[in-house]
Amino acid sequence: MDAAQSRHLPGFLERFAERAARMLSARWCAVMVFRGRETDSYQTSSGKEPPDAAEHTSLVRYARELAKEIEVRQLADSGAATEPKKSKVAVFVPITASDAESLGAICLVCEKKPLGEQEQRLLRALASHAALSLENFRRFSQLERSKRQWVEDIDAISDYIVVHDRSWRVVRTNRSLASHLGVPPVALVGEAMSSLRQIAESGSDLPCPFCRDTQQAREEYVVASPERIFLVSTSRTPGVSDDDTRTIHVLKDITDRREAERRYRELFDSIQEGLFFATPDGRFLDVNDAMVRMLGYDARDELLRADVGPHLYPAAAARERFLLALAERGVLRNYEETLRRKDGTLLHTLQNITAVRDSRGNIAQIRGLMLDVTEQKTFQSQLQRERDFNQKILNTTQSMILVLDTAGLISYANRRCFEAGYREDELIGHRLVEWVETSHRSDFEDALETTAHGQQVENLELRVRRSDASMGHFSISLSPMRDEQNTVNSVVVVMTDITDAALLQAKLAHSEKMATIGRLVSGVAHEVNNPLAAILGFTDLLLENPQVPENAREDLQIILRETQRTKDIVQDLLSFARQRPVQRELVQVNSVLRQTIKLRSYDFASHGVEVVEEFDEKLSPAFGDSQQLQQVFLNILNNAYDAVQESGQRGRIAIRTRLRGESIEVAVTDNGTGITDPERIFDPFYTTKQAGKGTGLGLSICYGIVRAHGGEILCWNNSEQRGSTFVVRVPVANEATVAAAMAKEAGR
Amino acid sequence: MNAQPHTGLVPILLIEDEPSVTAFLRAALERHGYAVANAASGAEGLNMLRGGKYSGVISDIRMPGAVNGAEVHAWIQKNRPELCARIILISGDTANSETQAFLAQSGTPCIEKPFRVQQLMTVVEKTFGKP
């Protein structure tokens, strides 16, 4: 029994004790009520000789220990001697609830005497009555408490609650609703429901703003005021009379939730990424507008009707792979998938997917966000294609392409560089200028400097060391490469080995020059021959004339001799200019050389000139004019002889033959004085010999003959020893050249 | 027309544009007993051939003007068959490939300038016979 109840209970129990004491003629009576470990004692106030505190404590202890239905305990006599000694006993009866719970005990203190049957029955009746009373008290208090609790609970609910009867009068409201209106809850009781219109209205004609259909036992709908939105849940408990028919409205303020929902929807629909909820078997539950747009559908509904597997996936395997990955991992981040739009075109997507699983762990729903990366993908593949294309160009170009930093260090070299024999470790990180011939380095440095300042340098022709250490003639272009800030951060160098081209160009220029000179010489010779013919002829006629005196005859002989010399010069000129067709036959070059050497062997021997023959005895035959070739070799040998004679040292002439590709190469090396100007030596009239010793046409004629053979003639000063080397190359006779030459002859 | 027919002899027609060469040839031929008529160009030579009678023709190959030695040769082949084997060509320019081709094809004797009197007379006597 709690404190709240004790306000009414004590008076009742004290009166009960008084009555019990009277009925049983007891000196003192108490109703002891057990409250947990505590024991409350309600006793007679007017009794004779009430027990003192110690005695009371004993009595309580006895009551607690009570085991039998009625127990009698002997009490010690009081110490007072004023009264005659009488024996006192305490009689205890337990108060037991209907469920056998021990509620307390009735304790009577009286004179010692046996308890009669009548008294015992009375005691039991009293105990029973006390038990009933105590139980009732307890029930009431519980009821009271729960009723009060219920009101408190209702009041604690933030939702508005209002109960009205059939006559549309407020029966009850909770505190939230009343405080919303600024009045205490009781103030609303009995008011008409229409007074609550200010909260919100359902829009019906009924007197209650929250009722819609009074026939329904339960209703749920949303009503709105200008400020708030409420979810109204209504329950109706029909009764027999108006009084016990109740309509209960619970108004839940869902304004914030609605707002959140609205915002969510707005976000859902306005977001540029595709959002979707789908079932694992391939149905969309919801999709946003972006998703609809992305997949090329006209409306959301249309996409919601679509079957994801067959409609969106170009290949069924891809869908399966996706579901498998999702089942395994639960979450897919940046999952790349190619989907099909409604019109069949492909859509490249990047997806972030979460699987929502049910209690058994199966995937119940798929939620995802989808990005359209088609453009990026296209751009990327375009970029990739472009990159591949550029790479291909870089790899297949016949030019060497290098990238240098502004300090001139090589940071990149294309494949061609390595094909040309350079090693990566001797290029990358090294200065390109190191490969340039020393005398050209400053030119290269200047060009690099110019390029670093943003100017392009084109077709710089420099000599550059090749990977095999030989020097090549290179055409070099340098272009500045800029970063985002437009600052030159590197230099692209394109290098092309134009050695062959340069040689070819030189040869072309030379043969053109020769042709021009040929035409000139031919014209001059013709013009000179006419007066020469007259001079020679008339001189002859004079010499034939017997009238011419002897001394004049001697003069005429001089004229004749000088005219003859002039004739020889013109003949040389003409044979240079004369493109006499080559009389082609198979020629053993070695034997032609031996015959030629024999022609001069006397001079060589008598002047101590050593001739060394290094012949390749397995040399294939050439196809040409042996007489013309002999003329060429003789000319070269004569020049070599003159050169070694001039040097004043012991002369040595080495003649080597060998096969070089499709050509027979004859190299004549002497240790003479060398050539003053190798560039001009084949020019007509170029001579370094004393006047009268040569016309300067010998090598020009040789040049013409060798070219007419389809070969070439070259010369240079020796690099390791003094003297010079002449090289004659003529094509080897093979079926093709023979046939071609024959055909040419036949067509002549 | 510088034709100066030698008494009783049919002249040799000399076609040559160079006066000094013409003078020498005339002197040499006349001294060896031949009669000589001369023309200073190919065209003039053809005119004379049309209007006169000659025992043979000596012609330079390369001459200025419309008609050169090769064309004179061709005209004779066509119009004076009796003179076909009585032509001597002289040339200062055998280096020319056209000239070479023409000589090789025609088989006509050719003397290259400059030449000695003896060379000339050998060829003349061989081709035209002694005067």
Side-chain angles (χ1 to χ4, degrees):
Chain A
M1 291 205 197
D2 65 20
Q5 221 179 340
S6 60
R7 272 177 288 161
H8 313 284
L9 192 60
F12 167 76
L13 289 178
E14 278 162 17
R15 283 194 302 277
F16 186 91
E18 294 282 356
R19 243 176 42 234
R22 252 193 331 273
M23 285 167 77
L24 285 160
S25 315
R27 287 181 169 185
W28 183 84
C29 177
V31 180
M32 293 177 178
V33 178
F34 302 153
R35 185 160 52 85
R37 284 170 177 278
E38 301 294 313
T39 304
D40 297 325
S41 182
Y42 305 95
Q43 59 207 27
T44 53
S45 53
S46 57
K48 293 164 240 170
E49 292 179 45
D52 58 20
E55 280 173 331
H56 189 262
T57 304
S58 302
L59 290 172
V60 167
R61 197 178 67 242
Y62 294 147
R64 282 278 178 182
E65 289 168 0
L66 208 55
K68 289 188 283 187
E69 199 181 10
I70 296 172
E71 214 170 282
V72 180
R73 285 197 181 249
Q74 182 73 45
L75 292 178
D77 289 330
S78 67
T82 48
E83 298 264 337
K85 287 196 180 173
K86 283 177 186 162
S87 193
K88 280 193 296 183
V89 291
V91 180
F92 296 91
V93 187
I95 306 169
T96 308
S98 51
D99 60 356
E101 187 193 346
S102 179
L103 297 174
I106 299 169
C107 171
L108 294 153
V109 177
C110 49
E111 301 296 326
K112 187 181 176 183
K113 55 174 182 185
L115 283 170
E117 192 69 23
Q118 182 71 28
E119 287 170 315
Q120 279 187 22
R121 265 205 307 275
L122 190 61
L123 272 173
R124 282 193 201 96
L126 279 171
S128 166
H129 182 71
L132 199 65
S133 303
L134 279 176
E135 269 191 304
N136 279 341
F137 264 112
R138 199 153 68 174
R139 279 198 197 98
F140 276 123
S141 82
Q142 269 171 357
L143 207 62
E144 186 88 357
R145 196 175 58 221
S146 66
K147 193 174 159 189
R148 200 168 48 247
Q149 191 65 49
W150 188 82
V151 172
E152 278 173 16
D153 288 348
I154 292 281
D155 281 343
I157 292 173
S158 59
D159 298 342
Y160 302 162
I161 299 170
V162 57
V163 183
H164 66 81
D165 57 19
R166 197 178 275 176
S167 58
W168 313 104
R169 299 266 161 207
V170 176
V171 176
R172 171 165 240 151
T173 69
N174 70 344
R175 199 187 304 276
S176 307
L177 190 144
S179 60
H180 174 74
L181 296 173
V183 294
V186 285
L188 291 168
V189 176
E191 293 291 321
M193 277 305 286
S194 56
S195 65
L196 300 181
R197 279 192 198 285
Q198 54 178 301
I199 298 173
E201 276 194 85
S202 72
S204 70
D205 296 332
L206 297 168
C208 169
F210 312 130
C211 281
R212 270 189 181 170
D213 183 355
T214 51
Q215 298 305 303
Q216 299 287 327
R218 307 189 71 82
E219 280 189 290
E220 192 163 272
Y221 42 79
V222 174
V223 298
S225 74
E227 298 93 32
R228 317 298 299 172
I229 302 163
F230 296 98
L231 175 69
V232 181
S233 301
T234 302
S235 309
R236 293 193 177 81
T237 51
V240 212
S241 67
D242 281 1
D243 283 348
D244 54 7
T245 299
R246 295 282 184 271
T247 300
I248 305 157
H249 297 298
V250 177
L251 283 76
K252 191 169 189 63
D253 187 339
I254 57 164
T255 314
D256 292 346
R257 199 172 82 189
R258 274 283 158 140
E259 180 63 16
E261 257 174 36
R262 193 186 60 76
R263 282 189 196 151
Y264 161 77
R265 191 76 223 179
E266 200 175 275
L267 184 70
F268 188 75
D269 281 339
S270 65
I271 203 160
Q272 290 307 298
E273 286 77 29
L275 291 168
F276 66 90
F277 298 87
T279 60
D281 60 344
R283 290 276 163 197
F284 283 120
L285 298 169
D286 198 1
V287 292
N288 69 345
D289 292 345
M291 182 90 178
V292 176
R293 213 165 40 240
M294 239 178 240
L295 287 164
Y297 284 79
D298 299 324
R300 190 194 302 257
D301 288 347
E302 193 187 6
L303 183 55
L304 290 177
R305 281 196 302 274
D307 199 344
V308 174
H311 286 135
L312 266 62
Y313 280 79
R319 173 73 178 170
E320 274 165 33
R321 197 166 50 238
F322 164 75
L323 289 174
L324 209 68
L326 189 62
E328 198 175 297
R329 284 179 270 165
V331 171
L332 298 176
R333 293 251 168 266
N334 297 324
Y335 189 82
E336 282 188 46
E337 189 76 273
T338 305
L339 298 180
R340 188 165 50 192
R341 291 199 188 88
K342 191 190 166 191
D343 63 4
T345 57
L346 293 182
L347 172 76
H348 295 280
T349 66
L350 202 63
Q351 304 183 22
N352 282 316
I353 308 288
T354 310
V356 180
R357 295 179 193 274
D358 61 18
S359 54
R360 288 192 303 280
N362 296 323
I363 295 175
Q365 208 186 87
I366 299 168
R367 295 176 183 172
L369 181 144
M370 187 183 282
L371 288 171
D372 180 354
V373 293
T374 310
E375 221 167 282
Q376 288 95 311
K377 201 86 181 171
T378 315
F379 181 67
Q380 206 176 353
S381 61
Q382 199 178 332
L383 210 66
Q384 187 62 42
R385 267 202 303 279
E386 210 163 285
R387 209 174 293 154
D388 289 349
F389 181 63
N390 290 346
Q391 194 61 46
K392 244 177 234 165
I393 292 175
L394 281 176
N395 284 342
T396 54
T397 180
Q398 286 306 298
S399 294
M400 300 198 292
I401 298 176
L402 301 121
V403 177
L404 315 186
D405 59 19
T406 43
L409 299 176
I410 302 167
S411 60
Y412 169 84
N414 73 340
R415 194 191 286 171
R416 177 72 199 134
C417 300
F418 307 120
E419 286 169 355
Y422 294 102
R423 291 195 320 273
E424 189 166 358
D425 64 314
E426 61 187 8
L427 287 182
I428 307 297
H430 289 267
R431 286 161 58 77
L432 179 57
V433 71
E434 289 164 11
W435 293 90
V436 178
E437 194 187 67
T438 324
S439 63
H440 286 166
R441 284 188 184 172
S442 63
D443 290 347
F444 181 80
E445 297 278 21
D446 289 350
L448 195 61
E449 180 77 12
T450 308
T451 315
H453 283 91
Q455 292 282 319
Q456 183 132 349
V457 176
E458 295 204 42
N459 296 326
L460 187 66
E461 291 193 9
L462 299 178
R463 291 179 66 77
V464 174
R465 189 152 46 92
R466 296 202 190 95
S467 55
D468 63 0
S470 66
M471 278 292 170
H473 200 83
F474 282 75
S475 169
I476 301 177
S477 293
L478 298 96
S479 314
M481 198 151 78
R482 296 166 189 277
D483 61 14
E484 293 80 3
Q485 281 79 45
N486 213 30
T487 315
V488 176
N489 62 358
S490 42
V491 174
V492 180
V493 181
V494 180
M495 292 177 40
T496 313
D497 189 337
I498 54 162
T499 313
D500 291 346
L503 272 177
L504 191 66
Q505 200 176 7
K507 282 179 191 166
L508 263 174
H510 189 68
S511 64
E512 207 166 286
K513 187 165 71 184
M514 294 308 240
T516 308
I517 290 168
R519 282 193 295 277
L520 180 72
V521 161
S522 173
V524 168
H526 182 261
E527 291 307 314
V528 172
N529 273 340
N530 278 323
L532 217 51
I535 293 166
L536 193 60
F538 279 113
T539 309
D540 263 346
L541 288 176
L542 277 174
L543 283 169
E544 280 175 11
N545 190 342
Q547 290 170 347
V548 172
E550 196 56 37
N551 54 350
R553 203 172 283 274
E554 283 168 20
D555 293 347
L556 284 171
Q557 284 297 344
I558 296 169
I559 294 172
L560 188 67
R561 199 168 62 235
E562 290 306 307
T563 310
Q564 284 283 14
R565 196 176 139 209
T566 310
K567 183 192 162 187
D568 289 345
I569 293 170
V570 174
Q571 280 301 322
D572 268 359
L573 272 173
L574 279 174
S575 57
F576 160 71
R578 175 184 297 152
Q579 277 135 26
R580 188 158 75 87
V582 179
Q583 303 300 313
R584 288 183 190 268
E585 57 192 354
L586 289 179
V587 178
Q588 298 297 337
V589 173
N590 286 348
S591 57
V592 173
L593 275 169
R594 286 199 175 97
Q595 284 167 22
T596 313
I597 294 164
K598 203 180 277 176
L599 285 177
R600 298 302 310 269
S601 58
Y602 175 76
D603 282 330
F604 290 155
S606 59
H607 289 91
V609 176
E610 183 192 2
V611 175
V612 183
E613 294 176 15
E614 298 169 26
F615 291 175
D616 176 358
E617 296 301 342
K618 288 179 213 142
L619 207 60
S620 311
F623 192 61
D625 188 322
S626 57
Q627 287 202 348
Q628 288 190 7
L629 289 176
Q630 183 165 11
Q631 189 183 347
V632 171
F633 298 144
L634 186 61
N635 212 304
I636 293 173
L637 276 182
N638 285 342
N639 281 333
Y641 175 75
D642 289 345
V644 295
Q645 282 299 99
E646 218 174 299
S647 77
Q649 293 188 335
R650 186 176 162 74
R652 184 178 192 276
I653 300 171
I655 305 162
R656 195 189 66 227
T657 61
R658 61 168 180 161
L659 195 67
R660 190 175 184 273
E662 289 295 298
S663 293
I664 291 159
E665 182 180 277
V666 178
V668 179
T669 303
D670 66 60
N671 61 348
T673 48
I675 306 158
T676 314
D677 194 349
E679 301 284 309
R680 290 188 59 202
I681 195 149
F682 296 110
D683 288 1
F685 306 112
Y686 177 80
T687 182
T688 54
K689 294 176 182 169
Q690 293 165 6
K693 273 204 117 179
T695 59
L697 286 167
L699 283 172
S700 302
I701 293 164
C702 292
Y703 177 88
I705 290 170
V706 175
R707 290 304 301 256
H709 276 77
E712 59 183 349
I713 181 165
L714 312 163
C715 74
W716 57 80
N717 283 315
N718 302 327
S719 53
E720 282 155 23
Q721 57 164 65
R722 51 180 294 161
S724 61
T725 297
F726 276 78
V727 165
V728 173
R729 294 187 190 124
V730 288
V732 169
N734 58 33
E735 275 179 37
T737 53
V738 172
M742 292 298 190
K744 212 171 165 189
E745 294 286 319
R748 200 173 278 277
Chain B
M1 297 283 168
N2 297 322
Q4 290 170 351
H6 206 264
T7 40
L9 280 175
V10 181
I12 293 167
L13 178 59
L14 184 60
I15 308 172
E16 168 65 62
D17 63 304
E18 189 72 33
S20 64
V21 178
T22 306
F24 152 63
L25 285 169
R26 176 181 275 274
L29 288 167
E30 284 179 351
R31 198 167 295 180
H32 284 85
Y34 292 96
V36 177
N38 68 296
S41 73
E44 191 186 332
L46 290 187
N47 273 336
M48 287 173 69
L49 276 167
R50 279 187 202 104
K53 190 175 163 49
Y54 302 97
S55 58
V57 176
I58 297 175
S59 175
D60 194 2
I61 293 177
R62 189 157 131 176
M63 287 179 292
V67 183
N68 65 22
E71 280 151 345
V72 170
H73 180 270
W75 189 90
I76 290 169
Q77 298 284 311
K78 198 176 167 190
N79 301 293
R80 294 286 183 275
E82 73 278 9
L83 288 176
C84 268
R86 302 179 74 86
I87 308 171
I88 297 170
L89 294 168
I90 46 177
S91 164
D93 178 28
T94 43
N96 189 300
S97 57
E98 284 171 36
T99 309
Q100 285 178 26
F102 163 65
L103 289 175
Q105 176 222 323
S106 66
T108 305
C110 177
I111 313 168
E112 284 185 41
K113 293 182 206 171
F115 45 85
R116 303 293 297 271
V117 172
Q118 202 48 55
Q119 276 175 280
L120 171 73
M121 293 324 295
T122 307
V123 177
V124 168
E125 280 174 13
K126 199 176 156 193
T127 312
F128 303 149
K130 296 197 179 201

